[in-house]
Amino acid sequence: MDQIIVTGNGELSGEIPIAGAKNACLTLMPATLLSEEPLTLTNAPRLSDIKTMTELLQSLGAEVTSLQGGQVLALSSHDLSNHVAEYDIVRKMRASNLVLGPMLARLGHAVVSLPGGCAIGARPMDLHIRGLEALGAEIELRDGYLHAKAPQGLKGATVEFSFASVGATENVLMAATLAKGTTVLKNAAREPEIVDLATCLRKMGARIEGDGTSQITIEGVDRLSGATHPVVADRIELGTYMLAPAIAGGEVECLGGRLDLVGAFVEKLDAAGIGVEETGRGLKVARRNGRIRAVDVTTEPFPGFPTDLQAQMMALLCTADGTSVLEEKIFENRFMHAPELMRMGAQIDVHGGTATVTGVDRLRGAPVMATDLRASVSLILAGLAAEGETVLSRVYHLDRGYEHLVRKLEGVGARIERVKGQ
Ligand code: EPZ
């Protein structure tokens, strides 16, 4: 397996282009199942998760063609030949479950494997199931698969989510576009990826209002048309690269970055002593003089501090002046980066969903292991300012969510290389 070697190499400077959002693309792609006409997605990120979603949609009979080196995806599901999302694909990527709502709405039946747990948590689907049942679906769990049917089609209803689940909101939103009558989603997720999905669905003819707030109203229509839609910028990749100059020093401009995508995160950077400036091309980030200040962080659904940036923020706080408390409120096991950071000399005390980080002067490079996508990149960030060499194994986790990571960091002066595995 490949490894990535990063050596602390002083301050960074230059520009990093931000790609289209993985988590927007993974819900926009299944939207093709809702219509017989072609859907074209531009600004698509080149990631292994996108390849997995492509494989899944093709297994259902959809056509997915990758153009311009993967930046454009041409999708069409005119003839769907199969309505079963098999376990061996779904287990690789939880977002595969986002074919359930659209397939049910378009075909009246769907069989989707439960994703099974993953490194960061059990990740059940009860909110997806309850939401679709409210629209009239009959869903039964058998042999690890959800067997869903709606022989008379779906009917609009009011759905109140007990938790603002991103995936459940996306699944039910997509299904509701073809349900008969009006659907109201309450306590809906407000993430920018939801707004991006709703914007694309409206281009396809869906009637949706309120996306981006906790109440979304959908008037069902008989059919949807095709569309062309640019994938929104990836706020998690953006936040990740904003932390590179914060940790290593210097100044980096993240091209395509938008402040409205990372509001709560920027507030915490400001409190820690990091300056962020909107330029005409993106966000320019620089550490103000002096040491990073300790800050407390609690992860919440958008617009709160994103759980997907918690590991990366911890890497920054490992060398802050003082003690920081990080509370992970979204997933039950998302501190696996902590023991790896401790191998680099970090002082972290984890109890349940709370991690207390006592800043040290400097970390020291060490061999470390990637465990999940965001944990892996936090180790790369820590290595940018650590003394000596950090060697990261199992980098396939990184390939799921960060396109051209080595090239982007090399481009701003980081000493980083990827070595082919044996
Ligand atoms: C999406 O996952 C993202 N993935 C995750 O990003 C992100 O961490 C998460 O939202 C939270 O922002 C994609 O968009 C593809 P949830 P999702 O449903 O939809 C519990 C990354 O690194 N829950 O909002 O699965 C669940 O167990 C990934 O890019 C239920 O209990 O997140 C979790 O504790 C990781 N029942 C919490 O809610 C349900 O039916 C948040 O889940 C659904 C969720």
Side-chain angles (χ1 to χ4, degrees):
M1 282 185 274
D2 292 6
Q3 290 181 320
I4 288 181
I5 303 170
V6 52
T7 308
N9 187 37
E11 295 197 346
L12 305 177
S13 77
E15 299 170 346
I16 296 182
I18 299 304
K22 166 178 85 80
N23 290 348
C25 200
L26 289 175
T27 190
L28 289 164
M29 291 174 75
T32 184
L33 299 170
L34 290 166
S35 161
E36 297 191 353
E37 294 176 28
L39 173 63
T40 303
L41 299 175
T42 59
N43 193 38
R46 279 72 56 103
L47 301 167
S48 58
D49 269 10
I50 304 306
K51 289 197 180 68
T52 303
M53 182 58 82
T54 296
E55 186 189 325
L56 172 61
L57 291 171
Q58 288 171 338
S59 76
L60 300 175
E63 287 163 34
V64 185
T65 312
S66 173
L67 307 166
Q68 292 177 33
Q71 274 221 303
V72 174
L73 297 172
L75 302 107
S76 162
S77 54
H78 189 268
D79 307 307
L80 292 178
S81 51
N82 169 31
H83 65 280
V84 181
E86 301 287 351
Y87 176 59
D88 65 346
I89 297 182
V90 177
R91 70 178 171 76
K92 281 192 282 188
M93 182 182 67
R94 173 182 170 80
S96 306
N97 64 19
L98 293 172
V99 300
L100 176 59
M103 216 166 16
L104 193 52
R106 168 86 179 281
L107 299 178
H109 55 260
V111 178
V112 176
S113 167
L114 270 181
C118 78
I120 61 179
R123 306 189 74 180
M125 281 187 63
D126 53 311
L127 300 176
H128 299 242
I129 293 165
R130 269 211 290 282
L132 294 171
E133 285 177 337
L135 299 187
E138 294 155 24
I139 301 180
E140 188 200 345
L141 173 61
R142 226 175 34 244
D143 328 318
Y145 281 76
L146 292 175
H147 293 257
K149 55 182 190 295
Q152 281 77 39
L154 298 171
K155 265 174 62 53
T158 294
V159 177
E160 176 132 23
F161 292 113
S162 56
F163 173 82
S165 156
V166 171
T169 301
E170 291 165 343
N171 245 331
V172 182
L173 169 60
M174 287 191 278
T177 59
L178 294 178
K180 288 182 190 60
T182 306
T183 297
V184 178
L185 305 184
K186 294 189 172 184
N187 195 26
R190 301 170 54 189
E191 275 70 3
E193 293 74 34
I194 306 280
V195 174
D196 205 37
L197 172 63
T199 304
C200 179
L201 291 169
R202 273 191 286 268
K203 288 179 187 173
M204 295 168 71
R207 294 167 58 195
I208 303 167
E209 286 179 2
D211 44 291
T213 74
S214 1
Q215 180 156 319
I216 303 177
T217 304
I218 305 105
E219 296 296 338
V221 295
D222 293 338
R223 60 188 300 282
L224 291 178
S225 58
T228 296
H229 180 76
V231 178
V232 69
D234 191 323
R235 62 194 170 95
I236 305 304
E237 188 196 30
L238 170 61
T240 301
Y241 288 125
M242 290 172 75
L243 282 166
I247 289 172
E251 181 177 90
V252 168
E253 184 172 12
C254 297
L255 304 180
R258 287 176 14 208
L259 211 47
D260 65 302
L261 295 173
V262 282
F265 173 67
V266 168
E267 278 171 29
K268 288 297 176 184
L269 289 187
D270 180 54
I274 310 296
V276 178
E277 178 203 338
E278 277 189 296
T279 68
R281 305 163 70 218
L283 297 180
K284 191 176 279 186
V285 186
R287 189 199 303 198
R288 297 192 195 106
N289 42 28
R291 239 179 119 182
I292 298 297
R293 290 192 295 269
V295 292
D296 293 343
V297 171
T298 299
T299 63
E300 296 170 314
F302 195 89
F305 190 99
T307 174
D308 292 350
L309 284 173
Q310 176 261 110
Q312 300 90 314
M313 190 71 182
M314 187 185 284
L316 173 74
L317 296 173
C318 286
T319 55
D321 181 11
T323 297
S324 309
V325 177
L326 292 96
E327 286 200 277
E328 174 52 62
K329 295 275 192 191
I330 305 293
F331 289 104
E332 59 267 34
N333 181 33
R334 205 169 193 181
F335 286 136
M336 284 167 298
H337 41 289
E340 301 302 319
L341 288 166
M342 289 156 76
R343 290 174 51 73
M344 300 173 72
Q347 284 186 16
I348 306 169
D349 197 20
V350 174
H351 279 288
T354 302
T356 304
V357 182
T358 306
V360 297
D361 287 344
R362 195 170 184 203
L363 297 181
R364 290 181 309 283
V368 288
M369 190 75 74
T371 49
D372 66 82
L373 168 58
R374 309 301 176 184
S376 347
V377 82
S378 77
L379 302 172
I380 298 274
L381 291 173
L384 290 175
E387 195 177 320
E389 198 173 76
T390 298
V391 181
L392 178 70
S393 303
R394 295 190 184 171
V395 296
Y396 56 84
H397 288 291
L398 275 173
D399 297 335
R400 295 191 54 179
Y402 292 95
E403 64 164 34
H404 307 314
L405 174 130
V406 170
R407 186 194 307 173
K408 290 187 177 185
L409 285 173
E410 260 178 340
V412 292
R415 212 167 115 204
I416 182 170
E417 61 170 325
R418 182 168 182 145
V419 293
K420 280 274 163 246
Q422 284 72 27

